[in-house]
């Protein structure tokens, strides 16, 4: 969460958003862990200024971690996230999933099938593998 908050505070990000076609993006944040553990921890927000980005960064740093032991449910996280994007309360020219985590799906999911289904719905996925310390 600290890395995400730092990225949101990076001034070139605000510049890139301002230079975009609409000058704003919408973002939400969810925590996920096992097959049955996905929770939205920061609701959808429009980010159009450094102030908006700072507020999202602050909330990202201060949200309580939501997780349940029982494995890594990457496929479930992708399915949940794709459904969440379908509830986006804004018009969007582009939608995508950014997923970070560590470990292979070991919670009876099929990450490749979930990814393929998301991509088939024109939802590209950016993946950030994390290495535990």
């Amino acid at each position: 969460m600290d890395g995400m908050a730092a990225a949101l505070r990076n001034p070139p990000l605000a510049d890139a958003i301002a230079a975009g076609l609409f000058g704003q993006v919408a973002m939400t944040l969810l925590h996920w862990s096992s097959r049955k553990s996905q929770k939205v921890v920061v609701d959808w927000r429009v980010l159009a200024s450094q102030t908006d980005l700072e507020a999202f960064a602050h909330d990202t740093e201060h949200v309580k971690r939501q997780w349940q032991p029982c494995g890594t449910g990457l496929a479930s996280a992708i399915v949940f996230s794709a459904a969440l994007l379908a509830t986006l309360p804004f018009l969007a020219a582009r939608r995508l999933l950014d997923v970070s985590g560590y470990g292979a799906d070991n919670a009876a999911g099929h990450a490749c099938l979930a990814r393929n289904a998301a991509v088939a719905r024109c939802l590209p996925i950016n993946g950030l593998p994390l290495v535990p310390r």
Side-chain angles (χ1 to χ4, degrees):
M1 296 299 99
D2 292 340
M4 177 186 250
L8 289 165
R9 290 186 174 112
N10 191 358
L13 178 60
D15 295 342
I17 291 170
L21 183 60
F22 300 105
Q24 61 187 11
V25 298
M27 187 171 173
T28 187
L29 175 64
L30 70 99
H31 287 168
W32 63 277
S33 57
S34 64
R35 185 170 56 91
K36 295 182 180 181
S37 179
Q38 303 88 33
K39 175 146 175 84
V40 174
V41 294
V42 180
D43 288 323
W44 284 112
R45 254 190 238 164
V46 173
L47 308 175
S49 68
Q50 190 64 50
T51 302
D52 297 337
L53 291 164
E54 174 57 39
F56 203 101
H58 176 271
D59 290 352
T60 298
E61 286 174 323
H62 292 92
V63 71
K64 185 175 187 234
R65 178 74 174 116
Q66 302 290 320
W67 71 281
Q68 296 291 323
C70 294
T72 300
L74 178 57
S76 297
I78 292 170
V79 169
F80 184 91
S81 297
L84 183 62
L85 275 169
T87 72
L88 179 65
F90 314 105
L91 226 59
R94 182 172 180 230
R95 298 169 188 233
L96 65 96
L97 305 176
D98 285 329
V99 178
S100 60
Y102 56 88
D105 193 314
N106 60 9
H110 298 282
C112 289
L113 294 176
R115 180 207 60 218
N116 291 348
V119 171
R121 292 172 52 195
C122 298
L123 296 175
I125 300 174
N126 294 323
L128 177 64
L130 303 175
V131 178
R133 295 184 210 185

